[in-house]
């Protein structure tokens, strides 16, 4: 059974706004069930371990999906999520792929996290799939490829768009805009209409545009692992 590592933010502070953030529950739940139902063994980790913070905006009625409704009734998944491993305990050699759910929380802890950077670069060096969705492609900001250049350089990528960030009125709050960063790092960035499902892959790198893209990212990851 192939093993996938989910890495989830531990940060619940939306910059210095005084508002709460965290990971976006749909971006965890949709890939979690897609990959679990496909027979993969999933391990959850976060920088601090334990219960990672769920962005309260992702738990509202209008943000609900079939996957989030399933999660709300799933005591086993809830227990697993409340007991994530500390990232420092994780070894790349134990897993076949790595996946990062998004949510604004990642922008303040996982972008600069040294252990996360080491893991991604090690997974990549060993040609294992790397998957990111919505805000989590921002984590690629400081990641280098095996050639020493930014990992995203000359690669097809997507991620939360400037327009989507404007729509949620957080463009002036986030430390940087994901779309701008991916382009500045040499990524071949593409996108479609706001809030529509869109994911791209280039070699072992898979990225998705927004919360609605999370299942597409999981589908591409499943295909790569089964290839």
């Amino acid at each position: 059974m192939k093993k996938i590592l989910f890495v989830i933010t531990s940060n619940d502070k939306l910059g210095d706004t005084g508002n709460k953030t965290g990971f976006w529950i749909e971006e965890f739940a949709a890939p979690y069930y897609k990959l679990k139902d496909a027979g993969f063994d999933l391990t959850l980790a976060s920088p601090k371990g334990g219960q990672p913070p769920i962005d309260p905006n992702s738990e509202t009625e209008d943000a609900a999906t079939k996957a989030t409704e399933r999660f709300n009734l799933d005591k086993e998944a809830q227990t697993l999520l409340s007991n994530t491993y500390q990232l420092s305990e994780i070894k790349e050699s134990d897993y076949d792929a790595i996946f990062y759910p998004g949510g604004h929380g990642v922008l303040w802890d996982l972008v600069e996290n040294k252990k996360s950077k080491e893991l991604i670069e090690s997974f990549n060096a060993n040609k294992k799939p790397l998957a990111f969705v919505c805000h989590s492609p921002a984590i690629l900001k400081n990641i280098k490829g095996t050639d020493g250049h930014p990992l995203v350089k000359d690669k097809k990528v997507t991620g939360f768009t400037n327009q989507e960030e404007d729509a949620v009125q957080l463009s002036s709050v986030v430390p940087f805009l994901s779309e701008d960063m991916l382009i500045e790092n040499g990524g071949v960035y593409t996108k479609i209409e706001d809030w529509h499902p869109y994911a791209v892959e280039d070699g072992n790198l898979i990225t998705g545009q927004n919360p609605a893209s999370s299942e597409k990212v999981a589908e591409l990851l499943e295909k790569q692992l089964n290839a």
Side-chain angles (χ1 to χ4, degrees):
M1 187 186 288
K2 290 195 172 171
K3 296 183 173 183
I4 304 170
L5 177 66
F6 275 48
V7 181
I8 305 166
T9 182
S10 289
N11 171 56
D12 69 349
K13 292 179 178 64
L14 190 64
D16 51 15
T17 62
N19 295 325
K20 293 291 188 189
T21 187
F23 72 96
W24 199 261
I25 190 66
E26 177 185 359
E27 295 169 35
F28 163 78
Y32 175 84
Y33 289 117
K34 178 77 183 157
L35 296 164
K36 183 179 164 61
D37 292 349
F40 295 103
D41 183 8
L42 310 180
T43 296
L44 314 183
S46 60
K48 293 181 181 175
Q51 173 71 57
I54 299 172
D55 187 318
N57 291 317
S58 72
E59 294 186 294
T60 61
E61 203 173 311
D62 62 347
T65 65
K66 280 183 185 172
T68 63
E69 286 166 359
R70 181 174 168 186
F71 174 77
N72 289 337
L73 299 171
D74 186 344
K75 296 296 180 208
E76 184 189 343
Q78 290 168 26
T79 301
L80 202 62
L81 184 64
S82 67
N83 291 286
T84 65
Y85 287 90
Q86 272 196 357
L87 206 50
S88 58
E89 301 174 69
I90 299 295
K91 288 191 298 191
E92 170 269 319
S93 56
D94 291 338
Y95 302 95
D96 300 289
I98 192 167
F99 168 70
Y100 284 77
H104 282 90
V106 304
L107 296 169
W108 285 274
D109 69 344
L110 284 168
V111 175
E112 305 294 339
N113 186 287
K114 280 185 183 172
K115 176 66 178 184
S116 174
K117 181 178 188 288
E118 286 167 14
L119 282 170
I120 296 168
E121 290 179 351
S122 186
F123 272 86
N124 184 56
N126 287 294
K127 299 181 169 57
K128 295 177 179 180
L130 316 166
F132 304 84
V133 66
C134 194
H135 280 91
S136 72
I139 295 164
L140 295 165
K141 183 174 191 269
N142 301 314
I143 307 297
K144 302 287 189 230
T146 50
D147 58 2
H149 292 297
L151 178 68
V152 300
K153 188 174 187 291
D154 300 325
K155 287 209 168 92
K156 289 182 275 192
V157 288
T158 190
F160 206 58
T161 70
N162 291 354
Q163 208 167 297
E164 286 167 329
E165 202 68 80
D166 284 343
V168 297
Q169 301 181 325
L170 291 173
S171 295
S172 60
V173 172
V174 295
F176 60 90
L177 295 165
S178 299
E179 177 180 339
D180 287 355
M181 180 280 292
L182 290 166
I183 293 166
E184 283 159 17
N185 275 14
V188 183
Y189 181 89
T190 57
K191 60 187 174 182
I192 62 167
E193 290 172 79
D194 292 358
W195 317 117
H196 285 246
Y198 182 62
V200 296
E201 64 183 330
D202 194 325
N204 63 327
L205 178 63
I206 301 165
T207 49
Q209 181 176 316
N210 49 35
S213 310
S214 51
E215 190 158 317
K216 272 190 177 297
V217 168
E219 282 168 11
L220 291 173
L221 180 54
E222 180 187 353
K223 275 183 194 163
Q224 286 205 13
L225 286 168
N226 285 333

